[in-house]
Amino acid sequence: MKGNIFSLNENVHRYDFMDAFKTALNNNKSGVVICNIPHLKKDSYYRIHFVIDGDITSNNYIQISKIVYYTSSVQSPDFSGGTAFLNNTTVKLSSIDKGAKIYYTTDGTDPTDKSTEYKTPFTLNATTTVKAVSYLNGKKSNVASQTFKKVEDNDLTSVAQALKATDNTQVYVKAEVTKTDTYDSSSSTLNYYIADSENAANSLEVLNGRYLQDADITNADQIVRGDEVIVKATVKTTNKGAKVLKDVHLISIKEYQDQAKVSSAGWATFVSRRAVNFPKASGLSAYTVKYDATANQVTLSPVTAIPGNTAVVVKANAGTYDLQRGETSTTVENNDLTFSWVDKKVTAPFTIYVLAKQGDGCGFYPVKANETLAPFKGYLTINTASSSAAKPFYAIGGNTTTGINNAMVEAENKESVRYNLAGQRVNNNYKGLVIVNGHKVIIK
């Protein structure tokens, strides 16, 4: 594969690519093309052609990340580093011109070769405008300038305030992440939503969010539900009238610590945020749930690790358990326990089952139609052809460790919760055929 550059004005001049760029192009690597056009004329128009020779059997892309118009023979320095920061930021300067010396100032004056020479990255802890210039072979570049802002508490705004801002307003928003889009490894960014609290009704979508210092998003666990973030962004309105945040820079992130809470019942559902592990030393066991429509039963299967945004059943003594971070590549199969990002309205009886204590045991019982489940509560969906095929209660045995195939033993306590055959809870004065602890009992 061979590349050529042509520059056209009154006369056509042909120049080959730099040898280094030829190698980079052939090896599918990035590179910089510099084309010096001789005899520059004022107000001349130049057109550059890329010609690829050779046997090309498939379509390919050449990505141009930066086009620079040179007004002098020496290129101005480039800045890198967080332009908005909380405590401090590190500034790096660089030049595309090999051998160029860079000088800079932090007091607002234009730099010269008598100013501070840049040798290593330096730290700023206050709002500062940095100006820099490059020198090469006695020639000077144009002055480059960049302001680095320290974000103070009074600069921060809420999501509610940002939603009222006009388009193109730059804001510094402190909020909690309420939801993230599915991570796609082919993209270096991630869309996510932020609100003033995790369950707030009003949220802002962050478009093409990146990680700290504008780094690429490389895995689903870098930003998750529950994280507290501070972002610098521009408010925009979509064609559908929704407010969103664009050109977002993540200034700060406080990661949420995943915890599983178990009640005195000894069982609970847990919905992960990041990939987590369940160490044996903690005494906490986790299980996926699978419903078998043929046998009309549910089975628990033990797991030691789950990916983010996964619902499982956990078992342990009552208490709160901190969970260790797991591998993002962890996968879980055959799991019917799910959850909703928002309130879940139950539309039909015997379709949605939640985990709850009943008598001396615990199990899945159906939620009545028109009731609402809170977000991120694990539940089991059973789709049956007839409501009579579903059970009023799927019991978890007290000594069960690998499944819930065995039914609960009926308690002697006659004060246990009772349901009629329609799945409705009844009081102890109800006479007739009822369901008590998963068994049919006749009350006379």
Side-chain angles (χ1 to χ4, degrees):
M1 187 183 300
K2 182 180 179 182
N4 298 301
I5 292 182
F6 295 86
S7 62
L8 302 180
N9 54 4
E10 296 175 357
N11 299 308
V12 178
H13 303 279
R14 173 172 175 165
Y15 300 90
D16 286 338
F17 275 131
M18 301 166 56
D19 289 340
F21 186 72
K22 287 182 183 178
T23 302
L25 186 62
N26 289 330
N27 293 334
N28 195 29
K29 295 181 178 179
S30 62
V32 177
V33 180
I34 300 177
C35 180
N36 295 316
I37 302 175
H39 312 299
L40 289 171
K41 295 182 179 181
K42 185 177 180 180
D43 298 325
S44 294
Y45 174 77
Y46 295 90
R47 183 171 56 187
I48 298 177
H49 291 263
F50 289 87
V51 179
I52 307 298
D53 297 326
D55 180 21
I56 299 178
T57 59
S58 61
N59 293 329
N60 292 287
Y61 293 96
I62 296 176
Q63 178 175 322
I64 301 175
S65 59
K66 186 176 184 181
I67 298 176
V68 180
Y69 176 73
Y70 291 88
T71 56
S72 67
S73 59
V74 184
Q75 171 69 355
S76 300
D78 289 324
F79 292 90
S80 64
T83 56
F85 59 95
L86 293 183
N87 299 314
N88 56 65
T89 188
T90 300
V91 179
K92 297 179 182 179
L93 299 173
S94 61
S95 174
I96 197 173
D97 297 311
K98 186 176 181 180
K101 289 188 175 182
I102 300 174
Y103 299 88
Y104 70 93
T105 61
T106 58
D107 60 0
T109 61
D110 287 347
T112 67
D113 57 357
K114 304 300 181 183
S115 303
T116 303
E117 182 179 356
Y118 175 80
K119 293 186 178 295
T120 59
F122 55 94
T123 300
L124 300 176
N125 54 22
T127 298
T128 306
T129 297
V130 179
K131 294 185 176 183
V133 68
S134 293
Y135 280 84
L136 181 64
N137 298 327
K139 295 182 179 180
K140 176 184 176 182
S141 74
N142 290 335
V143 175
S145 179
Q146 178 65 60
T147 298
F148 296 84
K149 176 178 174 55
K150 183 176 182 179
V151 180
E152 307 289 352
D153 288 343
N154 57 6
D155 294 316
L156 299 178
T157 186
S158 66
V159 169
Q161 292 170 319
L163 285 167
K164 298 176 182 178
T166 57
D167 278 7
N168 301 315
T169 301
Q170 182 177 283
V171 292
Y172 301 92
V173 185
K174 182 177 182 179
E176 289 190 36
V177 178
T178 59
K179 181 182 178 181
T180 63
D181 283 353
T182 301
Y183 169 69
D184 183 352
S185 60
S186 65
S187 174
S188 61
T189 62
L190 180 71
N191 289 3
Y192 58 94
Y193 297 79
I194 59 175
D196 292 327
S197 64
E198 187 173 336
N199 296 320
N202 295 323
S203 63
L204 272 170
E205 183 177 10
V206 173
L207 299 180
N208 301 319
R210 300 172 75 91
Y211 198 59
L212 294 170
Q213 299 293 331
D214 208 31
D216 290 350
I217 297 290
T218 57
N219 66 73
D221 280 359
Q222 283 179 281
I223 301 175
V224 305
R225 172 177 58 90
D227 288 345
E228 183 183 271
V229 297
I230 296 177
V231 298
K232 170 189 173 184
T234 302
V235 177
K236 295 286 187 179
T237 303
T238 66
N239 293 334
K240 296 182 179 180
K243 294 281 189 180
V244 296
L245 295 180
K246 298 186 67 176
D247 305 321
V248 178
H249 292 269
L250 182 62
I251 301 174
S252 169
I253 182 169
K254 182 180 179 181
E255 292 187 351
Y256 183 92
Q257 172 65 53
D258 264 309
Q259 295 179 324
K261 297 182 180 180
V262 181
S263 69
S264 59
W267 297 87
T269 58
F270 164 74
V271 179
S272 64
R273 300 167 192 255
R274 289 181 165 83
V276 295
N277 291 334
F278 296 91
K280 294 180 180 179
S282 71
L284 184 70
S285 301
Y287 304 87
T288 58
V289 182
K290 185 67 179 176
Y291 174 70
D292 184 343
T294 302
N296 194 19
Q297 65 182 19
V298 292
T299 301
L300 300 187
S301 299
V303 291
T304 58
I306 59 174
N309 294 326
T310 303
V312 292
V313 169
V314 293
K315 179 185 180 183
N317 292 327
T320 300
Y321 296 81
D322 290 332
L323 299 177
Q324 297 178 358
R325 292 279 284 271
E327 295 294 331
T328 56
S329 59
T330 301
T331 58
V332 166
E333 298 178 353
N334 299 322
N335 185 27
D336 289 335
L337 195 68
T338 187
F339 68 95
S340 173
W341 292 93
V342 296
D343 287 345
K344 173 70 174 179
K345 182 71 173 292
V346 179
T347 58
F350 293 100
T351 57
I352 302 296
Y353 285 71
V354 295
L355 190 67
K357 184 177 181 181
Q358 188 181 80
D360 296 330
C362 196
F364 289 96
Y365 77 95
V367 181
K368 294 180 181 180
N370 298 320
E371 290 191 358
T372 301
L373 297 180
F376 312 111
K377 180 177 179 62
Y379 60 82
L380 179 65
T381 301
I382 297 180
N383 296 315
T384 58
S386 171
S387 61
S388 61
K391 297 180 181 179
F393 193 78
Y394 289 90
I396 299 177
N399 296 320
T400 301
T401 56
T402 59
I404 54 175
N405 299 324
N406 53 322
M408 283 175 51
V409 177
E410 181 182 351
E412 293 295 330
N413 182 9
K414 297 302 181 181
E415 300 299 320
S416 296
V417 179
R418 302 174 182 181
Y419 294 85
N420 62 24
L421 295 185
Q424 299 170 319
R425 185 170 176 172
V426 297
N427 59 37
N428 293 338
N429 296 324
Y430 184 89
K431 306 298 183 182
L433 191 59
V434 297
I435 305 298
V436 180
N437 293 342
H439 294 275
K440 293 179 180 179
V441 178
I442 295 178
I443 304 297
K444 297 182 180 180

